Structures are given as structure tokens and as C-alpha cells.
Amino acid sequence: MNIKNTLTHAAEKKPDSGVQFSRVNKVKWLSFPYILWSAGFILIPLVLVLYYGLTDNNNSFTLSNIALITDPINLKALLLALELSIVSTVICLILAYPLAMIMNNSKMQSNSFTVLIIILPMWMNFLLRTIAWQNILEKTGILNTVLKFFHLPTLNIINTPAAIILGMVYNFLPFMVLPIYNVLIKIDKDVIAAARDLGANGTQTFLKIILPLSLPGVISGITMVFVPSLTTFVISTILGGSKIVLIGNVIEQQFRLGNWHTGSGLSLVLMIFILISMALISKYDKESEGGNLW
Amino acid sequence: MVKRFLSRAYIGIILLFLYAPILILIVLSFNASKSRAKWGGFTLHWYQQLFRNEDIMSALYTTLIIAFTSALIATILGTAAAIAINSMKKTPRLIMLGITNIPMLNADIVTGISLMLVFVAVNYTLGFTSVLLSHITFNIPYVILSVMPKLKQLNPHTFEAAQDLGASPLYAFYKVILPDIFPGVLSGFFLSFTMSLDDFVITYFTKGPEVNTLSTKIYTEVRKGIKPEIYALSTLMFLTVLLLLIFINRRNAGKNAPIRKL
Amino acid sequence: MMTDIKLINLVNITKSFGETVVLDELNLYIRENEFLTLLGPSGCGKTTTLRIIGGFESPDKGQVIFEGKDITKLPPNERQLNTVFQKYALFNHMTISENIAFGLKIKKKSKAYINDKIKYALKLVNLEGYENRMPNSLSGGQQQRIAIARAIVNEPKVLLLDEPLGALDLKLRQDMQYELIRLKNELGITFIYVTHDQEEALTMSDTIVVMNQGYIQQVGSPEDIYNEPKNAFVADFIGDSNIIPSIMVEDKLVNILGANFPCVDTGFGRNKPVDVVIRPEDIDLVKPEDGIITGRVTSLLFKGVHYEMEVTANGREWLVHSTDLFPVGSEVGISVDPYDIQIMNKPESEDEEAVEISE
């Protein structure tokens, strides 16, 4: 008997998607309010940013708003923002991956409890939590008091880029932990057992199996930390004092001063980086359709 | 054993990192001194003051109303959209999900600016409604992404079976689909509520001069110093949520406890 | 063929999860080139036994001896055996050839050697040309073959298979049973196979180990297990059967529901309560006057090769398989060949007691 043949015939057909309300095509109408909404409040607004960014006060086309990014002050703000956001993304990744692994391995608590403990701080206003870091980092703050008590040299972090990085890591760490954790819990325990069975030791199993399988979560996490870090103006305002200016601060200032065209032009530059991140995420996140984010 | 100890120590350090600022804020709410830099002794004064401070109370009121209303509307629109998107063919589905991802992945500052430009373009005065509409906009994606996984788990035939047994589509939806996806709907609502409560940037750009939420109120005070009443208020809000979660957790734990042999 | 050399020896293995004792003082040996099947209902401890041999669980007490060496504490990656997992556990981020090469690359084999092995293994499982496909693009049956290929290229002395056919449909499962037997003969290694499907066990095994609630109920060849179940649990679990509490009147005579049936068993003593097992196909339906007892047919089902009938006789339903048809309501005589009556001692401990099997 030709076994191959029977195999192909018996291959399970994967259903295209979950619920198919086949006879009730009316269901599609349910999306109409949302389609209208997303056109009006997601797409058109972005088109407007594009329009303002590419025109001047007389509504004629210009590239000068975008060109303003080469202005030394703006360029410096962009480069500093890039530097700080990359550093904080890397730190978040280094802190979050082991944490997600530990959370995944601890069978004691339920999933939702573990996740809650990470999200819970969001219920304290994030501006206030960032302000509280002033208390910790100040010259006579809690950190230095503790250091003095142990006769260690004191640190002068407040109003430096380091304080901003700390603020970014603090605020966005959960966004790195959760996507990685969500991917890790989905890895079949038997797949890990199979790697061990085939001779891989702990390190090899991690490098060849766990790490590659968790990559979609890592990519989600990187995007979720990098984009808000790159574009923040609040954290730099609170922890950076007035001397450190990030690209977010520049854009916010332009809008506060009413220079919408300039602000939009600089936003467009910023969006290039955001688009790159989005492209990355959609490349790795095809199967879960965004489910890795939360 | 060593590995286990290290794991626990690591979790402990991260939790300290995440919760230290919260502890500080709670301590500050009991600080008799108006300056956050020094400890002036224990007091409940700010808690009494809090309810007399009309500025803060009105900001709280606005914040809660916007969080609740935007979460509710986003939940209705988002659940309907999720059901429709789920029944779409692959290409339109991917397009819709792509659009849904935009407010989640885009920078808050760009979302805020873009929404402001729209309101200005149609000559709509920035105020309470513009903030509400903006919050609904960034909340819908959270609802859709919470409901979608539940829809995928649904047995595709239950809806048809209900109709086969004589239920109208609407009745079948309420009796068959909704109960199954309800956990997703609920978590979408609470996620939206939380996001709305915690938002600053988008509110900042779309609020106009007349309206303040707690976030924007706090931001205006960053330079001149935060009023201690704010610490008291956030402490109360945080503890409320904490107690609520502990209560829910306890109840669930009780439900899931193994039945012991008598 | 199977030899008499004991390859693996499980000594006093005890394992509990929390308060549940999964295995209690289990002793078992597995011979070289044996096809041994651990058979039992879910929760009987068969998978745990396999995972202890594979090194994925460590026993609370007892030893795993492999070729005379104690390997109880050895991690899975240092054991000379490989596992085929229930849901295949393929590495979905690797191609088929990367999956198969995984173990060989870790052992730092040469490229040429690995390529040869991949070709050989894919040929062995009838999936030539699938090298560059991804696991997700394969059907369940094909994925299962890859999982087997991935394990055998490492030339293990023992292949552990954890319900490998459980996720496949009936037809495919039957084809794969022949495939597995062929594979085992070609490879000449030991297979330890876990299943809850008694038919699978009877078809493929040299030896069947019937387990229930952490205890071994019976070890034997498929014929032994089927024809001479040691207790009511085994009889009930393996195939359909009539299990009837009876009295052993004397040697070679048993009283079943008030009627004396001649049998061939001796040594049970006089007037001793026993359980009698009679397979449905061993009951002969005859004219009422020719039967030892008489009864009435109460239901009739056509099953393809035979008819399945229920006959009420002496206050009990008898399950009968026969190629002759007796319509519902007809009166029939029941007669059983003495060789087809299997006498079993009543269970002594609670653990051996027959447990209702619900599927």
C-alpha cells in the first residue's frame, strides 16, 4: 500500500480562522463604526501631520520643516534621544529576559497574578512615579543617604542623561517583560525536553531553542520600549532638568509655541524610526497578529 | 537551591525597583512638611485637605469620567469590530489589524499631535469632548487585541447551532458568543480604563486650556512643586486598586482550591 | 530479534507528585531489542515511567539501571536513549533537516556524516525530499515521522515513544503501526512504547506491561495478556469480555450463575469464589436444548465481521460475538468450550481491583 498517499490525504486541514459566521455576512457591518472611526481618528490625523510637515504658513509645499532636523540643536536632540533610548532598550532587555524566564519557571503563582504584579505600578500616575525618582536621586536624596550610611561615594545622577535612562527603564520595563513572558509561557515544555533528549545541555538548549523561539516577544518588547523612549519629553523634563533637550522636547516646544509646521516636520523625521520599528514587528509578529503585545 | 535563591533575589530587586517610587509617594502623603525633600512628621492633614480642594477634585472627576466613558465606548466599538474582523478574509483582516496596531505602536506624542491637528482642522474647540474622543481612539486597539484571542478559541459552530435551534442572530450573540468572549471583553475594558487613567501625553495635546485631568494637573505643578494633596489622592487610588485585586485574587484562589477528601 | 540480555532495569521506582503517588515500588526490566509497551488508562503511571527512563523526571526512590550502570541521576542529554514525544515537539523555527541534524551537530559530527544521516533517516520514514520544508507545513503524520527520524539518527540503544500515534486519525494510526514494526526490525534496537490503546499494544509489542494506579497488573506477551488475563482489571482493559463472579466447585468444574461449566483449570481448591473471564467470541450460541444454560437475545448489532449480541441468561447480560445471526427475542442456548473459560483469583488487594474504564 502506498502510505505516502494516505498521509497526504489524511493531512489535517487547518481552519482559516476561528469563528466563521458563514451564513451571516451581516456581521461585517459591525466593523463599520470602527472603520469610520479609524479613518477619522487614526488615518486622517496622520495625513494631516504629513500635510503640515510638508507645507509652510502659506500652505505651499516645502521641505524646509524636515530640513530643520539638520539644525545643530535639533540634530543634537535627536542623536541624544537615539542614544538614550537605545541604551535604555538594551538595559530593559538585559533586565527583562531573566525576569521573564524566572516568572515562566515559577509554577507557584498563577499567570494572571504574575502579570498583575508587573502592571500594578501603572495605577500610580506615571508622572508622580517619575517625580518620586527625584526624591531618590537628588543630591541629598534617598540613594545618597543610603550610600553615605555605608560610607560609599555618593552619586550625582539627577539632571544627567543617566537619570533619564533610569526613568526610561523604570517606566518602560513592563513593556519589555510582558511580551517576552507571553512568548516564553507558550513554548511547549516537550520541545525543551526534546532538545535535552537529543543531547543539548542547558546552555545549548537556551541558545538554540528557547532564545530563537522567544524572538518575536523580544522584538515586540524592543519596539514597545524603544519608541516611547525615543519620543518622550516628560521623563527628560522631570529627571533631566532644563539643560538636557531630547527630540521630544523640541517637538513639544514647537507646538507650544504654535509652530505646527515645524513641529509636524520634525515629527515626520521621528516617524521614520517608528516606521522601521513597526516594519520589524510586523515581520516577526505575523502569526500572532499582535497578540504578543499583551 | 542556589539557583532558586538567586531567582528570588533577582525578582526581589526588580520589584523593589518597580515599587520603591510608589512607597515614597505613599510616605510623602503622610508628610507634614509641604516640601517633598524633608520629613516633617506624620500627618493625615493632606487627606482632609484633599476633599476641600476643588481644583483637584474636579480634575479627579474629569479623569474618572473620561476613563470610564472612553473605556465603555471603546469596549462596545472594539468588541463589535473584533467580531467583524475575525470573520473577515485574510487580507482585509490583516489590513484592519495593521490599522489597529498604529495607535499602539505609534509614539504618543505623534498620536497626540495628529489628533489635535484634526480637531483644529474642523474648527472643533479643544476641551472635554476632544479628550474623550482621543481616549476612545487609543483605547479601541486594546479592546480588539483582548477580544480577538477569545474569539479564536470559540467553537465556530456554536453560533450556527444556536440559530439552528431557533434563536435570532442577536439572541444567539447574547446567549452564546458573549458569555464565551466576556473575559476578553472585561479585560479589554479594564485595560482601557487603566490606559486612559495613566495617559498624559495625548491628553496634553488635545485638552485645550479649560480642562485638566490629574495627569495634566500634575504636569503643570512639576516645576512649582506638587501639592501634597495629590500624593494623598494617588495613595488612595492605588490602595483601592490593590485591595480590589487582592479581593479578586483571594476569591479566585478559593474557587480553584482543590477539593479535599473528607 | 529480542535477546535475553536485560538492557534496562527499573528497581523499586517510587514517584509522587504532591500527595498523589504515581508509581509505587515499581520493578521492571527491559531486554535488548524488545518492543515493550506500557499500557494502561490515563493516570496509571505509564508516561511517568517513560519520563523517568528518559531522564525528564527523577524518581523519589529507586534506581534506573542501564547496561549495568546506575543512570538515575544522569541528565537526559547524557543518556543513550532518545524520545519521540506525544505531540512531536518539533523545533518549529528550524527546517526538517535542521531538526534531524540537531543531535548530530551537538555531538560535533562532520558535515558529510550529518548529510548522509539526514538522507538515510528521511528515506527510512518515507519522506525523501522534505529537507528544506518547515515543520508547520507538514501534516500530523508527517511531523510524527520527522520526530522519529530526528530521534533515530542519533543511533540510540533505546527509543522511547510516548503515545506517538495518539494525535493521528484511525486509518493513519493503523498504517503507522506497520511502519513502526518495520522500523524496529530494520534498526534492531529496543522500543519502549506508551499507549492507552490496547489494540495498538496487541499489534506491535513483544511484551505488554499492563499498568493501573501506579502498579503493574500483568507483564506478558500479547497472547498471554489477551488469553490469560491475571485479574479482572486486565481482562476488562484488554478487549471486550464477560467477567462473572463465580464459584470454583472443584478442579476442572466451575459454577457460573448457578450452572456448572467444565473448564481446564486446577488448583483453586473447592467451592472457592473466583472471577471467570469469557471472551465474547468464545461463547457459542446453540439451540436451547444443546446449551449449558439458556437465555434470550435482547439486542443485535451488525459489526461487519460479526454480529454483536446481548443475551440475558441466569439474570445477567452476556456479550456475544458470532457470525451466526439470532434475531432479538429468540431463545438460545449458551455453551463455552472448556479451554475458553479463564479462571482468575479474586483480587487480593484493593489496588488490583477492577476499575471501571470509561473512555
Side-chain angles (χ1 to χ4, degrees):
Chain A
M1 171 193 312
N2 187 345
I3 286 173
K4 232 186 223 174
N5 216 7
T6 55
L7 278 177
T8 30
H9 282 297
E12 318 97 305
K13 270 201 170 166
K14 281 182 190 160
D16 182 38
S17 75
V19 184
Q20 293 286 338
F21 302 90
S22 51
R23 280 177 293 151
V24 215
N25 275 325
K26 286 177 210 152
V27 161
K28 291 212 176 90
W29 293 95
L30 282 174
S31 65
F32 256 68
Y34 177 60
I35 289 174
L36 287 178
W37 192 284
S38 53
F41 292 107
I42 297 177
L43 298 178
I44 294 178
L46 289 177
V47 172
L48 274 180
V49 175
L50 193 70
Y51 173 78
Y52 273 93
L54 294 174
T55 53
D56 59 19
N57 285 332
N58 305 318
N59 292 334
S60 48
F61 177 80
T62 176
L63 285 175
S64 61
N65 297 320
I66 293 178
L68 270 177
I69 195 64
T70 55
D71 176 284
I73 295 173
N74 296 344
L75 193 63
K76 200 182 150 208
L78 175 67
L79 290 179
L80 184 62
L82 272 173
E83 187 192 326
L84 298 189
S85 55
I86 288 172
V87 171
S88 31
T89 307
V90 171
I91 294 176
C92 275
L93 184 59
I94 292 169
L95 289 179
Y97 206 103
L99 183 67
M101 293 265 287
I102 295 169
M103 281 161 63
N104 181 39
N105 289 340
S106 73
K107 293 158 202 154
M108 299 287 283
Q109 269 109 14
S110 65
N111 283 347
S112 55
F113 178 78
T114 329
V115 172
L116 271 179
I117 250 181
I118 302 291
I119 315 188
L120 191 61
M122 290 180 74
W123 277 81
M124 202 79 154
N125 187 287
F126 102 98
L127 294 165
L128 283 181
R129 279 182 291 139
T130 311
I131 290 165
W133 276 104
Q134 291 183 336
N135 274 44
I136 300 176
L137 301 178
E138 274 164 343
K139 260 193 189 124
T140 54
I142 294 167
L143 181 66
N144 280 341
T145 312
V146 173
L147 287 175
K148 253 187 213 154
F149 180 80
F150 288 106
H151 299 289
L152 292 165
T154 55
L155 295 167
N156 196 4
I157 299 180
I158 194 78
N159 297 345
T160 67
I164 298 178
I165 289 175
L166 198 140
M168 289 172 173
V169 171
Y170 174 75
N171 270 301
F172 305 128
L173 184 64
F175 299 110
M176 184 69 89
V177 176
L178 295 178
I180 297 177
Y181 173 71
N182 280 343
V183 173
L184 286 180
I185 51 170
K186 281 183 204 137
I187 296 179
D188 185 357
K189 296 279 174 290
D190 270 354
V191 167
I192 292 161
R196 301 282 286 162
D197 182 75
L198 293 167
N201 60 32
T203 319
Q204 287 165 324
T205 308
F206 176 76
L207 289 177
K208 294 193 170 195
I209 307 296
I210 300 174
L211 194 59
L213 284 176
S214 66
L215 214 55
V218 172
I219 300 287
S220 287
I222 288 177
T223 318
M224 304 278 284
V225 173
F226 176 70
V227 171
S229 303
L230 177 69
T231 57
T232 187
F233 66 94
V234 179
I235 297 173
S236 43
T237 303
I238 297 177
L239 294 175
S242 47
K243 273 171 266 165
I244 303 173
V245 179
L246 301 184
I247 188 70
N249 297 82
V250 173
I251 294 173
E252 187 262 343
Q253 196 182 22
Q254 293 297 335
F255 273 89
R256 196 149 31 88
L257 299 174
N259 302 331
W260 295 357
H261 295 279
T262 315
S264 298
L266 294 176
S267 300
L268 287 178
V269 177
L270 210 51
M271 280 179 75
I272 293 170
F273 295 98
I274 299 170
L275 281 175
I276 293 171
S277 305
M278 282 188 182
L280 255 180
I281 218 172
S282 68
K283 185 167 174 257
Y284 281 92
D285 206 25
K286 262 179 206 138
E287 281 147 55
S288 65
E289 294 182 345
N292 284 335
L293 295 177
W294 282 95
Chain B
M1 280 314 263
V2 175
K3 213 174 153 190
R4 219 172 127 164
F5 173 76
L6 282 177
S7 302
R8 299 217 161 169
Y10 189 73
I11 290 207
I13 289 169
I14 296 279
L15 288 184
L16 181 71
F17 177 61
L18 288 178
Y19 284 86
I22 290 171
L23 277 175
I24 288 170
L25 293 171
I26 293 176
V27 170
L28 284 178
S29 76
F30 298 111
N31 184 7
S33 159
K34 235 181 174 194
S35 150
R36 63 175 174 76
K38 63 170 186 262
W39 178 249
F42 181 87
T43 181
L44 287 173
H45 177 69
W46 308 118
Y47 287 86
Q48 293 160 352
Q49 278 309 102
L50 169 63
F51 297 97
R52 295 193 204 116
N53 188 327
E54 273 180 31
D55 257 15
I56 294 179
M57 289 320 272
S58 108
L60 171 67
Y61 181 74
T62 312
T63 308
L64 290 178
I65 288 282
I66 285 179
F68 180 80
T69 318
S70 71
L72 187 69
I73 297 174
T75 303
I76 294 166
L77 285 175
T79 305
I83 291 170
I85 291 172
N86 193 49
S87 70
M88 284 175 178
K89 293 215 174 64
K90 197 168 181 187
T91 316
R93 191 172 76 229
L94 288 180
I95 292 172
M96 288 308 291
L97 286 170
I99 293 172
T100 303
N101 270 334
I102 293 176
M104 292 199 52
L105 300 179
N106 202 350
D108 281 356
I109 188 171
V110 177
T111 308
I113 287 167
S114 69
L115 282 163
M116 181 197 89
L117 291 176
V118 159
F119 292 123
V120 172
V122 295
N123 271 326
Y124 194 90
T125 318
L126 295 179
F128 179 87
T129 325
S130 58
V131 175
L132 181 63
L133 291 172
S134 305
H135 279 225
I136 295 169
T137 306
F138 72 73
N139 277 340
I140 293 176
Y142 291 105
V143 177
I144 292 181
L145 292 182
S146 303
V147 175
M148 279 305 252
K150 296 284 168 207
L151 282 169
K152 281 192 186 151
Q153 287 165 14
L154 271 187
N155 180 336
H157 300 299
T158 46
F159 188 64
E160 287 171 8
Q163 288 190 290
D164 182 70
L165 295 168
S168 72
L170 204 62
Y171 184 83
F173 172 78
Y174 275 113
K175 286 285 171 186
V176 178
I177 307 279
L178 197 58
D180 274 2
I181 63 171
F182 197 69
V185 176
L186 207 63
S187 75
F189 176 84
F190 282 115
L191 208 52
S192 296
F193 191 82
T194 312
M195 289 298 158
S196 172
L197 211 62
D198 206 43
D199 175 69
F200 163 70
V201 176
I202 294 169
T203 314
Y204 177 74
F205 283 105
T206 54
K207 78 182 178 65
E210 305 296 321
V211 183
N212 259 326
T213 63
L214 281 176
S215 291
T216 56
K217 181 116 192 65
I218 292 166
Y219 190 69
T220 54
E221 291 177 358
V222 165
R223 301 270 153 142
K224 36 184 184 166
I226 306 289
K227 289 204 178 72
E229 290 96 320
I230 298 261
Y231 299 133
L233 177 60
S234 346
T235 301
L236 286 179
M237 287 171 70
F238 182 78
L239 291 181
T240 310
V241 174
L242 187 66
L243 290 175
L244 204 70
L245 288 178
I246 289 173
F247 173 73
I248 292 170
N249 217 45
R250 275 277 167 82
R251 220 184 49 172
N252 285 352
K255 250 188 233 166
N256 298 338
I259 302 152
R260 280 175 198 283
K261 280 182 195 160
L262 291 172
Chain C
M1 271 318 282
M2 183 171 78
T3 69
D4 278 336
I5 302 164
K6 291 176 189 171
L7 189 65
I8 298 177
N9 218 337
L10 302 181
V11 187
N12 288 327
I13 299 282
T14 302
K15 174 81 185 170
S16 6
F17 293 112
E19 285 171 29
T20 328
V21 180
V22 184
L23 295 174
D24 199 356
E25 300 269 323
L26 180 123
N27 286 287
L28 181 68
Y29 62 84
I30 297 126
R31 285 168 288 196
E32 214 172 68
N33 284 355
E34 187 169 11
F35 194 129
L36 179 127
T37 300
L38 301 170
L39 174 70
S42 59
C44 73
K46 55 190 194 299
T47 296
T48 307
T49 309
L50 194 79
R51 290 179 68 87
I52 284 174
I53 300 173
F56 307 114
E57 306 280 356
S58 52
D60 301 336
K61 262 190 348 204
Q63 290 167 301
V64 182
I65 311 287
F66 185 80
E67 291 187 314
K69 277 181 233 117
D70 186 348
I71 60 160
T72 319
K73 298 235 154 54
L74 217 57
N77 50 327
E78 288 169 34
R79 298 189 182 200
Q80 280 180 308
L81 24 84
N82 287 112
T83 310
V84 177
F85 291 87
Q86 194 165 10
K87 291 197 186 94
Y88 328 135
L90 294 180
F91 308 133
N92 284 330
H93 60 298
M94 298 180 184
T95 64
I96 295 306
S97 48
E98 283 167 344
N99 263 280
I100 297 175
F102 188 88
L104 300 173
K105 276 188 190 153
I106 283 183
K107 291 193 194 82
K108 303 223 158 60
K109 301 283 186 194
S110 76
K111 230 180 180 142
Y113 178 87
I114 294 177
N115 285 338
D116 279 356
K117 273 287 185 186
I118 293 172
K119 275 222 177 72
Y120 160 78
L122 285 177
K123 192 165 188 265
L124 205 63
V125 296
N126 279 329
L127 284 176
E128 291 140 294
Y130 279 72
E131 282 87 348
N132 295 317
R133 298 273 293 268
M134 296 304 280
N136 277 334
S137 71
L138 268 54
S139 72
Q142 291 169 330
Q143 291 192 34
Q144 188 58 78
R145 284 148 186 269
I146 298 303
I148 294 169
R150 183 179 70 176
I152 59 179
V153 288
N154 301 288
E155 299 178 352
K157 294 208 170 140
V158 183
L159 193 63
L160 309 178
L161 302 105
D162 183 7
E163 306 223 17
L165 311 184
L168 306 180
D169 63 35
L170 181 68
K171 182 82 185 75
L172 199 52
R173 212 155 62 212
Q174 287 168 345
D175 291 339
M176 281 298 285
Q177 288 175 15
Y178 291 111
E179 282 287 280
L180 282 172
I181 297 169
R182 177 183 66 81
L183 262 177
K184 184 187 167 292
N185 292 338
E186 271 179 44
L187 293 168
I189 58 172
T190 307
F191 274 34
I192 305 178
Y193 192 95
V194 161
T195 184
H196 64 267
D197 181 336
Q198 40 109 355
E199 213 178 291
E200 224 167 83
L202 293 173
T203 311
M204 294 191 288
S205 321
D206 296 320
T207 309
I208 296 177
V209 179
V210 185
M211 294 180 69
N212 189 36
Q213 297 187 343
Y215 292 91
I216 291 177
Q217 304 290 325
Q218 187 171 0
V219 182
S221 69
E223 290 84 357
D224 288 346
I225 300 268
Y226 189 84
N227 293 329
E228 283 164 46
K230 247 174 70 182
N231 60 35
F233 174 81
V234 178
D236 196 32
F237 195 75
I238 307 282
D240 295 322
S241 52
N242 298 287
I243 303 172
I244 311 163
S246 309
I247 309 285
M248 196 73 187
V249 182
E250 53 184 53
D251 279 357
K252 301 191 179 181
L253 191 67
V254 61
N255 185 294
I256 304 173
L257 302 172
N260 282 338
F261 282 72
C263 62
V264 294
D265 297 76
T266 56
F268 283 87
R270 282 177 159 270
N271 294 322
K272 208 149 166 254
V274 290
D275 278 327
V276 161
V277 175
I278 307 171
R279 295 287 175 191
E281 64 271 23
D282 292 334
I283 294 176
D284 299 320
L285 293 186
V286 292
K287 277 184 251 157
E289 56 271 27
D290 296 342
I292 300 173
I293 54 174
T294 58
R296 197 173 288 280
V297 178
T298 53
S299 82
L300 171 73
L301 286 174
F302 178 58
K303 287 280 194 171
V305 235
H306 60 258
Y307 294 97
E308 181 175 297
M309 284 166 277
E310 277 179 4
V311 178
T312 308
N314 292 22
R316 197 201 133 87
E317 298 283 342
W318 299 61
L319 187 70
V320 180
H321 291 170
S322 169
T323 47
D324 302 323
L325 182 147
F326 293 86
V328 172
S330 57
E331 191 155 337
V332 291
I334 287 178
S335 135
V336 187
D337 194 293
Y339 290 95
D340 291 332
I341 295 179
Q342 168 72 20
I343 311 281
M344 303 177 305
N345 274 317
K346 282 276 187 195
E348 281 160 29
S349 72
E350 231 179 83
D351 305 307
E352 273 182 74
E353 197 151 23
V355 170
E356 196 76 35
I357 308 302
S358 50
E359 279 299 306

